[in-house]
């Protein structure tokens, strides 16, 4: 199914394909990336990971270091980024990265907008270098009304809503960490300010 089918009121019964046996590459193997990996395995997907170290992680068939970015991208049908905004992630996905991807690949960015060279992404989609992108985060937010992402074919824009925090979830994490602190146990979800995440 394609957005243009709906906008033109066409009932076209094309087979959409399936996730089974597709390869999903997750940029960022932290808690969010691990959760996505675990979920993808339920769909019988092959799961690859990308991190600074490339260290093996549960639920990932193979993990690559950032220095192996293009090798990582080459195998992926879907690339999902959960990466933080750091100096080393800025512009990581650029024209050369899009060339390294499959022409049928989709990029999904739920991490931070600094990751993507937006001009290069528009060109990659316009020239069919990659199939499309689902973008939830942007360099400038809110996304300006004149931004070409709004009208570009095969780009789906969502307004930074992919991971809302609900009070009951945050409260439970706080209670758990408070109990850990009182018992002098290691805390969960600590930020390393030197790394930026």
């Amino acid at each position: 199914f394609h957005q243009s089918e709906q906008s033109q009121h066409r009932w076209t019964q094309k087979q959409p394909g399936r996730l089974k046996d597709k390869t999903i590459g997750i940029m960022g193997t932290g808690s969010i990336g691990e959760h996505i990996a675990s979920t993808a395995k339920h769909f019988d997907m092959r799961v690859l990971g990308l991190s600074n170290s490339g260290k093996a992680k549960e639920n990932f068939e193979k993990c690559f270091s950032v220095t192996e970015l293009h090798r990582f991208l080459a195998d992926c049908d879907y690339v999902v980024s959960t990466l933080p905004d750091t100096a080393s992630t800025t512009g990581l996905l650029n024209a050369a990265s899009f060339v390294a991807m499959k022409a049928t690949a989709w990029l999904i960015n739920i991490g931070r907008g600094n990751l993507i060279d937006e001009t290069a992404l528009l060109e990659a989609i316009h020239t069919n270098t990659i199939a499309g992108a689902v973008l939830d985060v942007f360099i400038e937010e809110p996304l300006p009304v004149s931004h070409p992402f709004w009208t570009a074919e095969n780009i789906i824009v969502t307004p930074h809503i992919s991971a809302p925090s609900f009070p009951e979830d945050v409260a439970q994490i706080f209670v758990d960490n408070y109990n850990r602190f009182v018992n002098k146990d290691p805390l969960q979800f600590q930020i390393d300010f030197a790394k930026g995440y």
Side-chain angles (χ1 to χ4, degrees), residues 150-169:
W150 288 112
T151 55
E153 196 162 322
N154 291 341
I155 291 183
I156 298 169
V157 171
T158 58
H160 204 145
I161 58 170
S162 65
S165 295
F166 296 98
E168 58 271 20
D169 298 330

Side-chain angles (χ1 to χ4, degrees), residues 81-91 109 111-115 137-139 193 195-197:
S81 176
T82 67
L83 293 175
D85 183 342
T86 66
S88 64
T89 61
T90 298
N109 190 9
R112 292 293 179 256
N114 72 305
L115 175 78
V137 291
F138 307 91
I139 292 170
F193 290 102
K195 289 182 179 178
Y197 56 92

